[in-house]
Structure formats: C-alpha cells, structure tokens
Short mmCIF file of all heavy atoms in Angstrom, two decimals:
data_model
loop_
_atom_site.label_atom_id
_atom_site.label_comp_id
_atom_site.label_asym_id
_atom_site.label_seq_id
_atom_site.Cartn_x
_atom_site.Cartn_y
_atom_site.Cartn_z
N MET A 3 -59.86 150.91 59.40
CA MET A 3 -60.99 151.02 58.70
C MET A 3 -61.62 152.37 58.97
O MET A 3 -61.39 153.01 60.02
CB MET A 3 -62.02 149.95 59.20
CG MET A 3 -63.30 149.99 58.48
SD MET A 3 -64.09 148.32 58.86
CE MET A 3 -65.08 148.27 57.46
N SER A 4 -62.20 152.96 58.06
CA SER A 4 -62.65 154.35 58.21
C SER A 4 -64.21 154.42 57.99
O SER A 4 -64.90 153.55 57.47
CB SER A 4 -62.14 155.24 57.13
OG SER A 4 -62.43 154.79 55.84
N LEU A 5 -64.77 155.38 58.60
CA LEU A 5 -66.28 155.76 58.47
C LEU A 5 -66.50 156.90 57.50
O LEU A 5 -65.63 157.92 57.53
CB LEU A 5 -66.75 156.21 59.79
CG LEU A 5 -66.75 155.11 60.88
CD1 LEU A 5 -67.20 155.84 62.24
CD2 LEU A 5 -67.74 154.02 60.66
N ASN A 6 -67.46 156.80 56.56
CA ASN A 6 -67.68 157.87 55.62
C ASN A 6 -69.03 158.48 56.09
O ASN A 6 -70.07 157.83 56.34
CB ASN A 6 -67.83 157.29 54.24
CG ASN A 6 -66.46 156.82 53.71
OD1 ASN A 6 -65.45 157.38 54.06
ND2 ASN A 6 -66.51 155.69 53.03
N ARG A 7 -68.99 159.83 56.03
CA ARG A 7 -70.27 160.63 56.39
C ARG A 7 -70.46 161.58 55.30
O ARG A 7 -69.56 162.35 55.03
CB ARG A 7 -70.15 161.28 57.73
CG ARG A 7 -71.29 162.01 58.13
CD ARG A 7 -71.10 162.57 59.60
NE ARG A 7 -70.20 163.54 59.55
CZ ARG A 7 -70.36 164.84 59.64
NH1 ARG A 7 -71.59 165.35 59.71
NH2 ARG A 7 -69.37 165.69 59.69
N LYS A 8 -71.56 161.62 54.68
CA LYS A 8 -71.95 162.51 53.76
C LYS A 8 -72.18 163.93 54.23
O LYS A 8 -72.80 164.17 55.26
CB LYS A 8 -73.22 162.11 52.90
CG LYS A 8 -73.48 162.75 51.71
CD LYS A 8 -74.57 162.20 50.91
CE LYS A 8 -74.84 162.92 49.50
NZ LYS A 8 -75.74 162.25 48.74
N LEU A 9 -71.56 164.81 53.58
CA LEU A 9 -71.57 166.28 53.93
C LEU A 9 -72.86 166.91 53.14
O LEU A 9 -72.65 166.87 51.89
CB LEU A 9 -70.32 167.04 53.63
CG LEU A 9 -69.13 166.51 54.40
CD1 LEU A 9 -67.80 167.23 53.89
CD2 LEU A 9 -69.21 166.48 55.84
N LEU A 10 -73.80 167.46 53.81
CA LEU A 10 -74.95 168.02 53.21
C LEU A 10 -75.21 169.44 53.45
O LEU A 10 -75.49 170.22 52.58
CB LEU A 10 -76.12 167.08 53.53
CG LEU A 10 -76.25 165.69 53.06
CD1 LEU A 10 -77.39 164.99 53.71
CD2 LEU A 10 -76.15 165.65 51.62
N THR A 11 -75.13 169.77 54.66
CA THR A 11 -75.44 171.16 55.12
C THR A 11 -74.21 172.06 55.34
O THR A 11 -73.14 171.50 55.35
CB THR A 11 -76.28 171.13 56.46
OG1 THR A 11 -75.37 170.64 57.46
CG2 THR A 11 -77.49 170.24 56.36
N ASP A 12 -74.51 173.39 55.43
CA ASP A 12 -73.32 174.24 55.74
C ASP A 12 -72.68 173.91 57.03
O ASP A 12 -71.40 174.03 57.17
CB ASP A 12 -73.91 175.70 55.79
CG ASP A 12 -74.14 176.33 54.40
OD1 ASP A 12 -73.66 175.77 53.46
OD2 ASP A 12 -74.81 177.35 54.32
N ALA A 13 -73.47 173.45 58.01
CA ALA A 13 -72.96 173.03 59.28
C ALA A 13 -71.95 171.81 59.09
O ALA A 13 -70.89 171.80 59.75
CB ALA A 13 -74.04 172.70 60.26
N ASP A 14 -72.26 170.94 58.28
CA ASP A 14 -71.50 169.81 57.98
C ASP A 14 -70.11 170.20 57.30
O ASP A 14 -69.07 169.82 57.80
CB ASP A 14 -72.15 168.77 56.99
CG ASP A 14 -73.25 168.02 57.57
OD1 ASP A 14 -73.44 168.06 58.84
OD2 ASP A 14 -74.14 167.50 56.80
N PHE A 15 -70.18 171.10 56.33
CA PHE A 15 -68.93 171.57 55.71
C PHE A 15 -68.11 172.51 56.67
O PHE A 15 -66.90 172.41 56.61
CB PHE A 15 -69.36 172.50 54.43
CG PHE A 15 -69.86 171.67 53.36
CD1 PHE A 15 -71.08 171.45 52.96
CD2 PHE A 15 -68.81 170.98 52.46
CE1 PHE A 15 -71.43 170.67 51.88
CE2 PHE A 15 -69.14 170.24 51.41
CZ PHE A 15 -70.52 170.03 51.10
N ASP A 16 -68.85 173.17 57.44
CA ASP A 16 -68.14 173.98 58.44
C ASP A 16 -67.31 173.22 59.53
O ASP A 16 -66.23 173.52 59.86
CB ASP A 16 -69.11 175.08 59.17
CG ASP A 16 -68.38 176.12 59.94
OD1 ASP A 16 -67.36 176.69 59.30
OD2 ASP A 16 -68.80 176.33 61.05
N GLU A 17 -67.98 172.09 59.92
CA GLU A 17 -67.31 171.28 60.84
C GLU A 17 -66.12 170.51 60.16
O GLU A 17 -65.04 170.57 60.87
CB GLU A 17 -68.30 170.20 61.33
CG GLU A 17 -67.72 169.15 62.35
CD GLU A 17 -68.71 168.12 62.67
OE1 GLU A 17 -69.94 168.19 62.44
OE2 GLU A 17 -68.18 167.04 63.26
N ALA A 18 -66.23 170.08 59.06
CA ALA A 18 -65.11 169.49 58.29
C ALA A 18 -63.93 170.50 58.13
O ALA A 18 -62.81 170.20 58.21
CB ALA A 18 -65.56 168.96 57.02
N LEU A 19 -64.32 171.77 57.74
CA LEU A 19 -63.38 172.85 57.69
C LEU A 19 -62.62 173.13 58.90
O LEU A 19 -61.38 173.21 58.97
CB LEU A 19 -64.02 174.10 57.14
CG LEU A 19 -63.20 175.37 56.99
CD1 LEU A 19 -62.14 175.18 55.95
CD2 LEU A 19 -64.12 176.56 56.74
N GLU A 20 -63.32 173.27 60.12
CA GLU A 20 -62.75 173.57 61.34
C GLU A 20 -61.92 172.41 61.89
O GLU A 20 -60.79 172.69 62.41
CB GLU A 20 -63.91 173.86 62.42
CG GLU A 20 -64.51 175.21 62.11
CD GLU A 20 -65.67 175.49 63.10
OE1 GLU A 20 -65.77 174.67 64.14
OE2 GLU A 20 -66.34 176.39 63.00
N LYS A 21 -62.31 171.22 61.75
CA LYS A 21 -61.54 170.10 62.21
C LYS A 21 -60.43 169.67 61.24
O LYS A 21 -59.49 168.88 61.65
CB LYS A 21 -62.52 168.86 62.53
CG LYS A 21 -63.39 169.13 63.66
CD LYS A 21 -64.21 167.86 63.92
CE LYS A 21 -65.13 168.05 65.15
NZ LYS A 21 -65.91 166.78 65.43
N GLY A 22 -60.54 170.04 59.97
CA GLY A 22 -59.51 169.72 59.05
C GLY A 22 -59.53 168.28 58.74
O GLY A 22 -58.44 167.68 58.37
N THR A 23 -60.74 167.64 58.82
CA THR A 23 -60.87 166.21 58.36
C THR A 23 -60.64 166.04 56.92
O THR A 23 -60.98 166.91 56.03
CB THR A 23 -62.23 165.68 58.83
OG1 THR A 23 -63.21 166.44 58.18
CG2 THR A 23 -62.28 165.71 60.35
N ARG A 24 -60.16 164.93 56.43
CA ARG A 24 -60.02 164.63 55.07
C ARG A 24 -61.31 164.26 54.38
O ARG A 24 -62.25 163.68 55.08
CB ARG A 24 -59.08 163.44 54.93
CG ARG A 24 -57.61 163.71 55.35
CD ARG A 24 -56.95 164.32 54.26
NE ARG A 24 -55.58 164.78 54.63
CZ ARG A 24 -54.85 165.48 53.82
NH1 ARG A 24 -55.14 165.80 52.61
NH2 ARG A 24 -53.65 165.82 54.19
N ILE A 25 -61.52 164.63 53.18
CA ILE A 25 -62.85 164.35 52.49
C ILE A 25 -62.54 163.69 51.14
O ILE A 25 -61.38 163.73 50.61
CB ILE A 25 -63.64 165.62 52.30
CG1 ILE A 25 -62.92 166.50 51.29
CG2 ILE A 25 -64.00 166.31 53.54
CD1 ILE A 25 -63.97 167.59 50.76
N ARG A 26 -63.57 163.06 50.67
CA ARG A 26 -63.59 162.46 49.39
C ARG A 26 -64.63 163.16 48.59
O ARG A 26 -65.80 163.43 49.08
CB ARG A 26 -63.75 160.99 49.37
CG ARG A 26 -62.63 160.20 49.83
CD ARG A 26 -62.82 158.65 49.68
NE ARG A 26 -61.78 157.97 50.21
CZ ARG A 26 -61.75 156.86 50.92
NH1 ARG A 26 -62.95 156.38 51.26
NH2 ARG A 26 -60.71 156.32 51.33
N VAL A 27 -64.50 163.33 47.26
CA VAL A 27 -65.40 164.02 46.40
C VAL A 27 -65.69 163.15 45.19
O VAL A 27 -64.83 162.65 44.58
CB VAL A 27 -64.82 165.44 45.83
CG1 VAL A 27 -65.97 166.03 45.06
CG2 VAL A 27 -64.46 166.23 46.99
N PHE A 28 -66.98 162.87 44.99
CA PHE A 28 -67.42 162.13 43.81
C PHE A 28 -68.27 163.00 42.89
O PHE A 28 -69.02 163.83 43.32
CB PHE A 28 -68.40 160.94 44.42
CG PHE A 28 -67.67 159.92 45.14
CD1 PHE A 28 -67.39 160.06 46.47
CD2 PHE A 28 -67.18 158.78 44.61
CE1 PHE A 28 -66.81 159.09 47.24
CE2 PHE A 28 -66.50 157.78 45.27
CZ PHE A 28 -66.34 158.01 46.56
N ARG A 29 -68.04 162.77 41.59
CA ARG A 29 -68.90 163.33 40.54
C ARG A 29 -69.21 162.34 39.55
O ARG A 29 -68.42 161.57 39.15
CB ARG A 29 -68.22 164.43 39.84
CG ARG A 29 -69.06 165.23 38.85
CD ARG A 29 -68.35 166.36 38.16
NE ARG A 29 -67.35 167.00 39.00
CZ ARG A 29 -66.11 167.39 38.62
NH1 ARG A 29 -65.65 167.04 37.38
NH2 ARG A 29 -65.29 167.98 39.45
N ASP A 30 -70.57 162.10 39.27
CA ASP A 30 -71.07 161.12 38.42
C ASP A 30 -70.62 159.75 38.74
O ASP A 30 -70.20 158.90 37.99
CB ASP A 30 -70.67 161.37 36.99
CG ASP A 30 -71.19 162.63 36.44
OD1 ASP A 30 -72.33 163.10 36.85
OD2 ASP A 30 -70.47 163.39 35.62
N ASN A 31 -70.70 159.47 40.10
CA ASN A 31 -70.29 158.15 40.72
C ASN A 31 -68.88 157.83 40.59
O ASN A 31 -68.44 156.67 40.65
CB ASN A 31 -71.13 157.06 40.21
CG ASN A 31 -72.54 157.17 40.76
OD1 ASN A 31 -72.89 157.65 41.83
ND2 ASN A 31 -73.54 156.68 39.85
N LEU A 32 -67.97 158.77 40.22
CA LEU A 32 -66.57 158.57 40.11
C LEU A 32 -65.84 159.41 41.14
O LEU A 32 -66.32 160.57 41.41
CB LEU A 32 -66.08 158.89 38.70
CG LEU A 32 -66.59 158.08 37.46
CD1 LEU A 32 -66.25 158.72 36.19
CD2 LEU A 32 -66.19 156.70 37.62
N ILE A 33 -64.93 158.96 41.70
CA ILE A 33 -64.01 159.68 42.68
C ILE A 33 -63.14 160.59 41.93
O ILE A 33 -62.44 160.32 41.00
CB ILE A 33 -63.28 158.79 43.64
CG1 ILE A 33 -62.69 159.58 44.81
CG2 ILE A 33 -62.16 158.15 42.93
CD1 ILE A 33 -62.22 158.75 45.98
N VAL A 34 -63.25 161.96 42.27
CA VAL A 34 -62.51 163.07 41.47
C VAL A 34 -61.51 163.64 42.48
O VAL A 34 -60.49 164.32 42.11
CB VAL A 34 -63.38 164.12 40.97
CG1 VAL A 34 -64.22 163.52 39.77
CG2 VAL A 34 -64.26 164.78 41.97
N ASP A 35 -61.68 163.38 43.82
CA ASP A 35 -60.70 163.96 44.76
C ASP A 35 -60.70 162.93 45.95
O ASP A 35 -61.68 162.69 46.60
CB ASP A 35 -61.13 165.35 45.24
CG ASP A 35 -60.05 166.09 46.08
OD1 ASP A 35 -59.07 165.58 46.33
OD2 ASP A 35 -60.35 167.29 46.27
N GLY A 36 -59.58 162.26 46.19
CA GLY A 36 -59.50 161.08 47.07
C GLY A 36 -59.25 161.46 48.55
O GLY A 36 -59.77 160.81 49.40
N SER A 37 -58.46 162.43 48.85
CA SER A 37 -58.05 162.76 50.16
C SER A 37 -57.55 164.12 50.25
O SER A 37 -56.35 164.46 50.01
CB SER A 37 -57.05 161.75 50.62
OG SER A 37 -56.63 162.10 52.02
N SER A 38 -58.43 165.04 50.62
CA SER A 38 -58.08 166.52 50.73
C SER A 38 -58.84 167.11 51.84
O SER A 38 -59.72 166.48 52.46
CB SER A 38 -58.34 167.26 49.52
OG SER A 38 -59.65 167.16 49.05
N VAL A 39 -58.45 168.39 52.24
CA VAL A 39 -59.21 169.10 53.14
C VAL A 39 -59.79 170.30 52.60
O VAL A 39 -59.57 170.84 51.52
CB VAL A 39 -58.22 169.64 54.32
CG1 VAL A 39 -57.64 168.53 55.11
CG2 VAL A 39 -57.10 170.55 53.69
N ILE A 40 -60.96 170.76 53.19
CA ILE A 40 -61.73 171.96 52.61
C ILE A 40 -61.00 173.18 53.09
O ILE A 40 -60.67 173.39 54.20
CB ILE A 40 -63.11 171.95 53.25
CG1 ILE A 40 -63.88 170.67 52.83
CG2 ILE A 40 -63.86 173.15 52.80
CD1 ILE A 40 -65.27 170.51 53.40
N VAL A 41 -60.73 174.01 52.05
CA VAL A 41 -60.04 175.30 52.28
C VAL A 41 -61.20 176.40 52.46
O VAL A 41 -61.06 177.18 53.50
CB VAL A 41 -59.23 175.75 51.18
CG1 VAL A 41 -58.57 177.02 51.25
CG2 VAL A 41 -58.09 174.59 50.91
N ARG A 42 -62.17 176.31 51.71
CA ARG A 42 -63.33 177.33 51.80
C ARG A 42 -64.51 176.67 51.08
O ARG A 42 -64.37 175.81 50.22
CB ARG A 42 -62.95 178.72 51.52
CG ARG A 42 -62.85 178.90 50.01
CD ARG A 42 -62.63 180.42 49.84
NE ARG A 42 -62.65 180.66 48.42
CZ ARG A 42 -61.67 180.88 47.54
NH1 ARG A 42 -60.41 180.74 48.01
NH2 ARG A 42 -61.83 181.04 46.26
N PHE A 43 -65.74 177.21 51.38
CA PHE A 43 -66.92 176.89 50.62
C PHE A 43 -67.91 177.97 50.73
O PHE A 43 -67.80 178.79 51.56
CB PHE A 43 -67.49 175.59 51.24
CG PHE A 43 -68.05 175.85 52.68
CD1 PHE A 43 -69.41 176.04 52.81
CD2 PHE A 43 -67.34 175.64 53.74
CE1 PHE A 43 -69.97 176.16 54.10
CE2 PHE A 43 -67.81 175.77 55.03
CZ PHE A 43 -69.11 176.03 55.18
N ASP A 44 -68.82 177.93 49.76
CA ASP A 44 -70.01 178.79 49.72
C ASP A 44 -71.15 177.99 49.17
O ASP A 44 -71.13 176.82 49.20
CB ASP A 44 -69.74 180.12 48.90
CG ASP A 44 -69.34 179.92 47.45
OD1 ASP A 44 -69.74 178.81 46.91
OD2 ASP A 44 -68.73 180.86 46.91
N ASP A 45 -72.25 178.76 48.73
CA ASP A 45 -73.50 178.06 48.31
C ASP A 45 -73.27 177.21 47.03
O ASP A 45 -74.05 176.27 46.83
CB ASP A 45 -74.60 179.05 48.16
CG ASP A 45 -74.98 179.62 49.41
OD1 ASP A 45 -74.76 179.05 50.54
OD2 ASP A 45 -75.63 180.71 49.45
N THR A 46 -72.26 177.61 46.18
CA THR A 46 -72.12 177.00 44.87
C THR A 46 -70.81 176.20 44.79
O THR A 46 -70.77 175.27 43.92
CB THR A 46 -72.23 178.08 43.81
OG1 THR A 46 -71.16 179.03 43.99
CG2 THR A 46 -73.61 178.67 43.77
N THR A 47 -69.73 176.42 45.48
CA THR A 47 -68.47 175.89 45.29
C THR A 47 -67.81 175.54 46.59
O THR A 47 -68.00 176.05 47.61
CB THR A 47 -67.50 177.00 44.66
OG1 THR A 47 -68.16 177.46 43.44
CG2 THR A 47 -66.19 176.38 44.30
N VAL A 48 -67.11 174.43 46.39
CA VAL A 48 -66.22 173.87 47.61
C VAL A 48 -64.82 173.79 47.07
O VAL A 48 -64.54 173.25 46.04
CB VAL A 48 -66.74 172.53 48.09
CG1 VAL A 48 -65.76 172.01 49.19
CG2 VAL A 48 -68.13 172.50 48.64
N VAL A 49 -63.85 174.43 47.79
CA VAL A 49 -62.53 174.47 47.42
C VAL A 49 -61.69 173.60 48.26
O VAL A 49 -61.87 173.65 49.57
CB VAL A 49 -61.92 175.93 47.46
CG1 VAL A 49 -60.47 175.92 47.00
CG2 VAL A 49 -62.67 176.88 46.70
N THR A 50 -60.98 172.59 47.78
CA THR A 50 -60.32 171.61 48.48
C THR A 50 -58.71 171.68 48.18
O THR A 50 -58.41 172.15 47.13
CB THR A 50 -60.70 170.15 48.27
OG1 THR A 50 -60.53 169.82 46.87
CG2 THR A 50 -62.23 170.00 48.69
N GLN A 51 -57.92 171.14 49.09
CA GLN A 51 -56.48 171.24 48.88
C GLN A 51 -55.98 169.88 49.32
O GLN A 51 -56.14 169.58 50.48
CB GLN A 51 -55.93 172.40 49.65
CG GLN A 51 -54.46 172.47 49.40
CD GLN A 51 -53.84 173.74 50.14
OE1 GLN A 51 -54.43 174.31 51.05
NE2 GLN A 51 -52.62 174.13 49.74
N SER A 52 -55.14 169.29 48.44
CA SER A 52 -54.64 167.94 48.91
C SER A 52 -53.06 168.08 49.13
O SER A 52 -52.50 167.26 49.81
CB SER A 52 -54.84 166.94 47.84
OG SER A 52 -54.26 167.27 46.60
N SER A 53 -52.48 169.07 48.53
CA SER A 53 -51.03 169.29 48.85
C SER A 53 -50.85 170.85 48.75
O SER A 53 -51.75 171.64 48.50
CB SER A 53 -50.15 168.60 47.81
OG SER A 53 -50.30 169.18 46.56
N VAL A 54 -49.59 171.29 48.83
CA VAL A 54 -49.38 172.76 48.96
C VAL A 54 -49.83 173.51 47.70
O VAL A 54 -50.43 174.51 47.76
CB VAL A 54 -47.77 172.93 49.14
CG1 VAL A 54 -47.46 174.38 48.99
CG2 VAL A 54 -47.30 172.31 50.41
N SER A 55 -49.53 172.94 46.45
CA SER A 55 -49.96 173.62 45.24
C SER A 55 -51.16 172.96 44.52
O SER A 55 -51.41 173.40 43.36
CB SER A 55 -48.81 173.64 44.37
OG SER A 55 -48.43 172.28 43.99
N ASP A 56 -51.89 172.11 45.17
CA ASP A 56 -52.99 171.49 44.52
C ASP A 56 -54.32 171.83 45.03
O ASP A 56 -54.78 171.29 46.07
CB ASP A 56 -52.82 169.92 44.62
CG ASP A 56 -53.84 169.21 43.82
OD1 ASP A 56 -54.37 169.75 42.89
OD2 ASP A 56 -54.10 167.92 44.17
N LEU A 57 -54.98 172.84 44.40
CA LEU A 57 -56.32 173.37 44.79
C LEU A 57 -57.24 172.78 43.79
O LEU A 57 -56.95 172.85 42.62
CB LEU A 57 -56.35 174.87 44.85
CG LEU A 57 -55.66 175.50 46.00
CD1 LEU A 57 -55.78 177.16 45.83
CD2 LEU A 57 -56.30 175.19 47.37
N MET A 58 -58.46 172.39 44.32
CA MET A 58 -59.49 171.98 43.33
C MET A 58 -60.75 172.64 43.63
O MET A 58 -61.02 172.84 44.78
CB MET A 58 -59.66 170.41 43.40
CG MET A 58 -58.46 169.60 42.95
SD MET A 58 -58.79 167.86 42.86
CE MET A 58 -59.82 167.83 41.38
N TYR A 59 -61.54 173.04 42.60
CA TYR A 59 -62.82 173.70 42.82
C TYR A 59 -63.86 172.76 42.44
O TYR A 59 -63.89 172.30 41.22
CB TYR A 59 -62.79 174.95 41.96
CG TYR A 59 -61.82 176.02 42.44
CD1 TYR A 59 -60.50 176.01 42.07
CD2 TYR A 59 -62.25 177.08 43.24
CE1 TYR A 59 -59.54 176.89 42.58
CE2 TYR A 59 -61.32 177.97 43.70
CZ TYR A 59 -59.96 177.92 43.29
OH TYR A 59 -59.10 178.82 43.74
N HIS A 60 -64.85 172.43 43.30
CA HIS A 60 -65.87 171.55 42.92
C HIS A 60 -67.26 172.28 43.07
O HIS A 60 -67.52 173.05 43.99
CB HIS A 60 -65.90 170.43 44.03
CG HIS A 60 -64.61 169.71 44.12
ND1 HIS A 60 -64.17 168.81 43.19
CD2 HIS A 60 -63.62 169.73 45.04
CE1 HIS A 60 -62.97 168.35 43.52
NE2 HIS A 60 -62.69 168.92 44.66
N GLU A 61 -68.11 172.00 42.08
CA GLU A 61 -69.45 172.54 42.11
C GLU A 61 -70.23 171.68 43.23
O GLU A 61 -70.27 170.50 43.27
CB GLU A 61 -70.25 172.28 40.79
CG GLU A 61 -69.65 173.17 39.72
CD GLU A 61 -70.44 173.02 38.47
OE1 GLU A 61 -71.66 172.77 38.56
OE2 GLU A 61 -69.95 173.11 37.30
N ARG A 62 -70.79 172.52 44.12
CA ARG A 62 -71.49 171.83 45.27
C ARG A 62 -72.79 170.98 44.79
O ARG A 62 -72.96 169.96 45.33
CB ARG A 62 -71.91 172.87 46.26
CG ARG A 62 -72.30 172.33 47.56
CD ARG A 62 -72.22 173.47 48.66
NE ARG A 62 -72.95 173.08 49.81
CZ ARG A 62 -73.12 173.82 50.87
NH1 ARG A 62 -72.58 174.90 50.92
NH2 ARG A 62 -73.82 173.28 51.93
N ALA A 63 -73.49 171.56 43.79
CA ALA A 63 -74.57 170.82 43.33
C ALA A 63 -74.29 169.54 42.52
O ALA A 63 -75.15 168.61 42.52
CB ALA A 63 -75.51 171.73 42.52
N GLY A 64 -73.15 169.61 41.87
CA GLY A 64 -72.74 168.47 40.95
C GLY A 64 -71.99 167.34 41.55
O GLY A 64 -71.65 166.36 40.87
N CYS A 65 -71.62 167.50 42.84
CA CYS A 65 -70.81 166.46 43.44
C CYS A 65 -71.33 166.02 44.72
O CYS A 65 -72.23 166.74 45.36
CB CYS A 65 -69.34 167.17 43.86
SG CYS A 65 -68.50 167.76 42.31
N GLU A 66 -70.78 164.99 45.25
CA GLU A 66 -71.10 164.41 46.63
C GLU A 66 -69.84 164.44 47.43
O GLU A 66 -68.81 164.15 46.91
CB GLU A 66 -71.65 163.02 46.47
CG GLU A 66 -72.96 162.87 45.85
CD GLU A 66 -73.46 161.45 45.84
OE1 GLU A 66 -72.68 160.58 45.23
OE2 GLU A 66 -74.56 161.15 46.33
N PHE A 67 -69.97 164.85 48.62
CA PHE A 67 -68.82 165.03 49.54
C PHE A 67 -69.01 164.16 50.73
O PHE A 67 -70.06 164.11 51.36
CB PHE A 67 -68.76 166.50 49.97
CG PHE A 67 -68.60 167.52 48.86
CD1 PHE A 67 -69.80 168.06 48.24
CD2 PHE A 67 -67.39 167.88 48.37
CE1 PHE A 67 -69.71 168.93 47.19
CE2 PHE A 67 -67.31 168.81 47.32
CZ PHE A 67 -68.45 169.25 46.70
N PHE A 68 -67.87 163.46 51.08
CA PHE A 68 -67.84 162.61 52.33
C PHE A 68 -66.64 162.85 53.06
O PHE A 68 -65.61 162.92 52.52
CB PHE A 68 -67.81 161.08 51.78
CG PHE A 68 -69.07 160.64 51.08
CD1 PHE A 68 -69.23 160.82 49.70
CD2 PHE A 68 -70.14 160.09 51.76
CE1 PHE A 68 -70.29 160.39 49.11
CE2 PHE A 68 -71.32 159.72 51.10
CZ PHE A 68 -71.42 159.85 49.70
N ASP A 69 -66.91 163.03 54.36
CA ASP A 69 -65.68 163.08 55.20
C ASP A 69 -65.27 161.69 55.68
O ASP A 69 -66.10 160.76 55.84
CB ASP A 69 -65.91 164.10 56.30
CG ASP A 69 -66.55 163.63 57.55
OD1 ASP A 69 -66.89 162.46 57.64
OD2 ASP A 69 -66.70 164.46 58.63
N ILE A 70 -64.00 161.57 55.84
CA ILE A 70 -63.39 160.28 56.14
C ILE A 70 -62.96 160.30 57.62
O ILE A 70 -62.04 161.08 57.92
CB ILE A 70 -62.14 160.01 55.25
CG1 ILE A 70 -62.58 160.07 53.84
CG2 ILE A 70 -61.60 158.58 55.62
CD1 ILE A 70 -61.34 160.25 52.86
N ARG A 71 -63.48 159.53 58.42
CA ARG A 71 -63.09 159.46 59.89
C ARG A 71 -62.55 158.09 60.23
O ARG A 71 -63.08 157.03 59.75
CB ARG A 71 -64.32 159.75 60.74
CG ARG A 71 -64.77 161.08 60.60
CD ARG A 71 -65.91 161.44 61.51
NE ARG A 71 -66.45 162.72 61.33
CZ ARG A 71 -67.21 163.37 62.16
NH1 ARG A 71 -67.53 162.80 63.31
NH2 ARG A 71 -67.62 164.57 61.80
N ARG A 72 -61.53 158.13 60.89
CA ARG A 72 -60.83 156.77 61.42
C ARG A 72 -61.67 156.26 62.56
O ARG A 72 -62.15 157.02 63.42
CB ARG A 72 -59.44 157.01 61.81
CG ARG A 72 -58.59 157.59 60.59
CD ARG A 72 -58.26 156.55 59.58
NE ARG A 72 -57.53 157.14 58.61
CZ ARG A 72 -57.61 156.83 57.35
NH1 ARG A 72 -58.28 155.81 56.99
NH2 ARG A 72 -56.81 157.36 56.48
N ARG A 73 -61.78 155.04 62.68
CA ARG A 73 -62.44 154.34 63.86
C ARG A 73 -61.58 154.37 65.00
O ARG A 73 -60.42 154.24 65.00
CB ARG A 73 -62.92 153.00 63.43
CG ARG A 73 -64.08 152.90 62.66
CD ARG A 73 -64.68 151.56 62.57
NE ARG A 73 -65.87 151.69 61.74
CZ ARG A 73 -66.60 150.54 61.60
NH1 ARG A 73 -66.37 149.42 62.05
NH2 ARG A 73 -67.67 150.70 60.94
#
C-alpha cells in the first residue's frame, strides 16, 4: 500500500527531485502520468520522465502532483 502526498511548494518539488520519488500527475481529475520522476521544474512547468525516452511537460497551474511513497 502506498501513501500519496500532494506537492504544492517549491520545497515539495525539490524534495521529490532530490529523492527521486515516483509521482502521479492529474489534470481535470484524470491521471495523465502514472509513475514517473521529476527531471526539473520551475514556476510554470514540471518535466517528468518515466523511461529513457519518455519526457512529459506539465503545466504547474493546470495539474495536481502527488508523490507516491511506500509504507
């Protein structure tokens, strides 16, 4: 079973980036990215990677980000 924690602040995103934790991304209550790591982020965009060639760019204001932690 996993715990989900919503990422809201720059500190939250920075912690997920440093630890390499997996995240889920939701847009309009639909999951658009199921299990990836944050590659980089800024005030407007979060870049995630789920495999070697799969990069996704998410608008920070239009999406909800949750990190997935194992119990």
Side-chain angles (χ1 to χ4, degrees):
M3 185 164 205
S4 63
L5 297 171
N6 295 321
R7 183 177 63 105
K8 190 170 185 176
L9 305 176
L10 297 171
T11 65
D12 282 345
D14 294 339
F15 284 100
D16 195 41
E17 180 184 346
L19 175 68
E20 288 178 8
K21 290 184 178 181
T23 56
R24 294 276 175 186
I25 67 165
R26 287 189 181 135
V27 182
F28 291 85
R29 184 179 323 134
D30 298 327
N31 292 327
L32 298 172
I33 192 164
V34 293
D35 195 352
S37 179
S38 60
V39 293
I40 296 174
V41 176
R42 70 174 191 264
F43 69 92
D44 60 21
D45 292 339
T46 59
T47 306
V48 177
V49 181
T50 61
Q51 183 175 18
S52 60
S53 66
V54 173
S55 63
D56 188 22
L57 289 175
M58 294 187 72
Y59 295 81
H60 305 286
E61 290 183 32
R62 194 162 164 179
C65 297
E66 294 181 301
F67 302 88
F68 294 87
D69 82 1
I70 307 164
R71 296 185 183 195
R72 303 283 178 214
R73 283 191 177 182

